[in-house]
Amino acid sequence: MSEGDLLKIKLQMLQFQTDVSAAKLARVQALASLRQLLGYESVPENYEVVGDLEYKAVNLSEDDLKAMALRQRPDVRAAQLGITASQSQYELARANGKRDVGATFNYTHVASASTGSFFGNVQLPIFDRNQGEIARTRYAISQSQELSSEQASLALTDVVNSYELLRTSDQVVQLYQSGYLKQSQDSRDISQYAYQRGAATLLDFLDAERSYRATEFAYRQALASYMDALEQLRAAVGTRSLP
């Protein structure tokens, strides 16, 4: 082997070791960030994340996801219940504007004579009929309806953005799974077979190995992007379970 080829192999080894060190650092930083989000004292220092980086297809359409978001998102539900609360306050204000009728009954018994009398009274509101509170609660209903409409629009926008991100990430993952992963592995295996039998140089085999590793790494990144987009879609819809 020439000295030039040996130097190329050493440089590839350096690149590989650098990638391993960068991956270890990224893992430590990700675990630290996750621990901060969970609560620093809620998990032990040497905790591990359990799970696989896997592809899970979402079979719902965009319209179905929008309908689920309007039904299940807590902020949308809270805005809708705000309308109900405003309507109840309006009915209460109207009821307080009415005056109750007061009635009194007196009974007396004197010298074998019994008498009874009824008295009734009612306030006659002329200036104060609770008009101010009635007007305020009426406008509060309109305000709650506008807030509910705005919250629903925000929810639908979140679903559209997250769904498009998921669909794009899904297309990238499907590209790798459609044959590129198999082709990169076959290319590596062919180069290894040829090298072991003297039909290819070591540099040819290492080049095929580097291409295979780069393809696998890019596929893992695409899977991570897809799973991140899936979590964003779950948050936009307001549910952890998506068929």
Side-chain angles (χ1 to χ4, degrees):
M1 179 182 295
S2 65
E3 184 178 358
D5 292 343
L6 180 60
L7 292 176
K8 292 179 180 179
I9 294 175
K10 289 183 177 180
L11 290 176
Q12 288 190 16
M13 177 64 70
L14 174 62
Q15 182 64 44
F16 176 76
Q17 292 173 344
T18 302
D19 293 342
V20 172
S21 299
K24 289 181 178 179
L25 175 62
R27 181 179 181 275
V28 172
Q29 292 175 341
L31 288 174
S33 300
L34 180 60
R35 188 182 183 188
Q36 180 181 2
L37 294 174
L38 295 174
Y40 198 79
E41 301 298 333
S42 62
V43 293
E45 183 176 358
N46 57 345
Y47 79 101
E48 294 291 339
V49 177
V50 178
D52 297 326
L53 196 65
E54 59 182 353
Y55 171 75
K56 296 180 180 179
V58 176
N59 300 320
L60 292 176
S61 65
E62 184 177 351
D63 293 335
D64 294 335
L65 294 171
K66 289 180 179 179
M68 291 178 62
L70 295 179
R71 291 195 310 267
Q72 300 182 9
R73 273 186 57 150
D75 51 352
V76 177
R77 292 289 300 146
Q80 293 172 350
L81 292 176
I83 298 176
T84 304
S86 299
Q87 292 173 344
S88 299
Q89 293 176 0
Y90 172 71
E91 295 298 331
L92 177 61
R94 289 188 58 190
N96 291 334
K98 305 295 189 302
R99 296 296 184 266
D100 295 332
V101 177
T104 305
F105 174 74
N106 290 333
Y107 172 79
T108 59
H109 179 77
V110 179
S112 300
S114 299
T115 59
S117 58
F118 286 97
F119 299 93
N121 62 83
V122 61
Q123 297 180 7
L124 297 177
I126 297 177
F127 299 105
D128 182 14
R129 295 188 298 275
N130 206 29
Q131 301 98 319
E133 189 65 16
I134 292 174
R136 187 192 68 80
T137 52
R138 183 187 300 115
Y139 287 116
I141 293 177
S142 301
Q143 182 183 20
S144 299
Q145 291 173 343
E146 293 296 330
L147 290 175
S148 178
S149 177
E150 179 184 7
Q151 198 63 49
S153 299
L154 291 175
L156 295 178
T157 302
D158 291 342
V159 171
V160 171
N161 292 334
S162 57
Y163 180 78
E164 287 300 320
L165 179 61
L166 180 72
R167 192 171 63 87
T168 303
S169 300
D170 181 80
Q171 291 175 352
V172 175
V173 173
Q174 291 293 339
L175 284 176
Y176 282 100
Q177 293 182 348
S178 64
Y180 288 106
L181 288 176
K182 185 66 168 55
Q183 292 173 4
S184 64
Q185 183 178 1
D186 292 342
S187 176
R188 191 273 310 269
D189 293 342
I190 292 173
S191 297
Q192 182 180 7
Y193 181 85
Y195 168 71
Q196 290 174 347
R197 284 156 180 77
T201 64
L202 178 59
L203 287 179
D204 294 335
F205 169 65
L206 292 178
D207 184 67
E209 179 70 28
R210 184 178 65 249
S211 298
Y212 170 74
R213 184 168 62 89
T215 304
E216 287 289 335
F217 180 69
Y219 173 62
R220 298 299 188 276
Q221 288 182 321
L223 274 180
S225 299
Y226 176 82
M227 295 184 67
D228 182 67
L230 180 59
E231 292 300 323
Q232 294 184 31
L233 181 61
R234 287 171 175 168
V237 175
T239 180
R240 291 294 307 163
S241 58
L242 290 177

